[in-house]
């Protein structure tokens, strides 16, 4: 297929572009700057200049494409997540930019849009398993995600397929993982929520294969990630990898100070990705969290 990717130089994008190229797809990656042009060429893909906030430019680059993959995001790292203004760009990418992608893809006659989403949009499920049929919980923090999903769902129909990938929280070769490792090493809290709650994760190694599988998935919403992990085990894994005696959790006062933006990250999400696997055959190469997930962030070569 000819696939046009946006967000191709980000954490998700690098994994996806590599997997698409390895599968011999014809990959173009949208670039907005000279620095991005060079980064895209290093990945081995062809850069094309456009802006996600310029629908006419998107139509031009989408002409002749079989699929569009939008992975563009601007997630704040570390304690910046507590500031509402730090999320402004990401909210625009989730709403207006996704609307432009869907409109341009429809105008250009593209048959498939694959859109990145996030699993923390679900309501807290406690110890109950969560599937795609379970309710989502709309707050000011999660509303942009839901708006973006609605644009892709409106795009789908007839000969057009719209695939939404609700990824778990990304762990591995990314800035947030490195931030939490530094925090753990310095005795700062890394756990959000309670130790007996569940987290839904995906390793950066598995993002690309999921995007590749989505090129053949029926229209719909899919949970994508590894087996859920108890937060106590997650925090212990970070502490072990960082060489700390033990990890710690943010207390209730700190969580209140962090505000509404952090609340979705405190939800207990025991999420199943079985539906995506059943529809596409996708299986994560990192099926269950352990401290080895953090090796790449520490610069440790994997054992083969």
């Amino acid at each position: 297929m000819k696939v046009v990717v946006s967000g191709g130089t980000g954490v998700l994008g690098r994994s996806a572009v590599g997997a698409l190229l390895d599968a011999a797809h014809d990959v173009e990656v949208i670039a907005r700057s000279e620095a991005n042009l060079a980064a895209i060429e290093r990945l081995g893909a062809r850069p094309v200049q456009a802006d996600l906030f310029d629908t006419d430019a998107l139509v031009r680059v989408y002409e002749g494409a079989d699929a569009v993959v939008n992975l563009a995001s601007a997630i704040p790292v570390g304690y910046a997540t507590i500031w509402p203004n730090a999320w402004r760009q990401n909210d625009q990418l989730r709403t207006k930019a996704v609307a432009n992608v869907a409109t341009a893809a429809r105008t250009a006659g593209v048959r498939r849009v694959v859109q990145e989403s996030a699993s923390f949009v679900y309501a807290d499920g406690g110890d109950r398993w969560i599937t795609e049929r379970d309710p989502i919980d709309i707050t000011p923090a999660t509303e942009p995600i839901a708006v973006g999903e609605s644009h892709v769902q409106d795009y789908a129909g007839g000969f057009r397929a719209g695939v939404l990938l609700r990824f778990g929280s990304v762990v591995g070769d990314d800035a947030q993982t490195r931030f939490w490792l530094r925090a753990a090493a310095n005795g700062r809290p890394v756990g959000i929520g309670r130790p007996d709650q569940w987290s839904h994760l995906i390793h950066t190694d598995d993002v690309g294969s999921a995007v590749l599988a989505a090129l053949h998935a029926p229209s719909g919403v899919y949970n994508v990630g590894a087996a859920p992990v108890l937060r106590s085990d997650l925090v212990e894994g970070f502490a072990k990898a960082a060489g700390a005696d033990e990890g710690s959790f943010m207390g209730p006062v700190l969580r209140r100070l962090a505000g509404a933006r952090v609340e979705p990250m405190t939800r207990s999400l025991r999420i199943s990705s079985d539906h995506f696997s059943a529809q596409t055959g996708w299986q994560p190469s990192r099926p269950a969290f352990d401290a080895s997930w953090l090796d790449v962030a520490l610069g440790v070569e994997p054992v083969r």
Side-chain angles (χ1 to χ4, degrees):
M1 293 184 181
K2 179 182 177 182
V3 184
V4 180
V5 180
S6 42
T9 59
V11 170
L12 303 182
R14 293 193 300 272
S15 181
V17 169
L20 292 167
L21 290 171
D22 287 346
H25 290 295
D26 179 8
V27 183
E28 294 184 345
V29 178
I30 291 176
R32 291 183 58 193
S33 67
E34 290 298 325
N36 277 354
L37 289 172
I40 292 164
E41 289 173 347
R42 286 194 296 271
L43 291 172
R46 287 197 312 278
V48 289
Q49 287 192 299
D51 190 317
L52 291 178
F53 298 101
D54 184 342
T55 306
D56 292 338
L58 289 176
V59 172
R60 288 194 296 272
V61 300
Y62 289 168
E63 291 286 350
D66 299 296
V68 166
V69 175
N70 182 31
L71 304 171
S73 62
I75 307 293
V77 174
Y79 298 129
T81 57
I82 71 174
W83 303 110
N85 287 345
W87 291 87
R88 184 173 299 169
Q89 183 182 3
N90 192 64
D91 289 348
Q92 288 292 304
L93 289 170
R94 296 275 191 190
T95 54
K96 186 174 181 180
V98 177
N100 292 344
V101 167
T103 297
R106 186 184 294 110
T107 301
V110 179
R111 290 177 175 260
R112 177 172 296 264
V113 168
V114 177
Q115 172 63 44
E116 171 265 342
S117 190
S119 64
F120 61 72
V121 73
Y122 286 110
D124 189 308
D127 286 329
R128 180 176 52 81
W129 281 97
I130 295 173
T131 72
E132 291 82 354
R133 294 185 177 184
D134 281 287
I136 61 176
D137 186 1
I138 301 299
T139 68
T142 60
E143 183 178 15
I145 300 171
V147 170
E149 289 191 350
S150 71
H151 291 311
V152 177
Q153 290 167 333
D154 289 344
Y155 158 87
F159 67 87
R160 295 189 300 269
V163 178
L164 290 157
L165 301 179
R166 285 179 178 164
F167 286 115
S169 297
V170 175
V171 175
D173 188 11
D174 68 292
Q176 186 63 56
T177 297
R178 294 183 176 89
F179 175 86
W180 289 127
L181 283 168
R182 290 193 300 271
N186 290 301
R188 298 196 300 271
V190 299
I192 303 175
R194 298 196 316 266
D196 61 343
Q197 292 177 315
W198 296 91
S199 288
H200 183 225
L201 310 176
I202 187 168
H203 195 278
T204 48
D205 288 351
D206 289 319
V207 170
S209 62
V211 170
L212 187 63
L215 294 183
H216 304 285
S219 289
V221 177
Y222 298 97
N223 301 330
V224 186
V229 58
L230 282 170
R231 292 220 171 97
S232 56
D233 294 334
L234 178 62
V235 170
E236 182 183 345
F238 269 87
K240 178 180 178 181
D245 292 335
E246 60 181 0
S248 61
F249 283 76
M250 292 183 183
V253 173
L254 188 56
R255 289 200 303 272
R256 282 198 298 273
L257 290 173
R261 278 293 178 174
V262 173
E263 181 275 327
M265 303 172 196
T266 69
R267 298 173 183 177
S268 184
L269 302 175
R270 195 180 189 186
I271 290 175
S272 168
S273 300
D274 288 350
H275 180 50
F276 187 56
S277 296
Q279 291 293 320
T280 66
W282 178 80
Q283 293 291 335
S285 65
R286 305 268 196 160
F289 173 79
D290 59 46
S292 70
W293 276 41
L294 309 172
D295 286 350
V296 65
L298 293 166
V300 177
E301 289 292 330
V303 177
R304 300 189 183 278

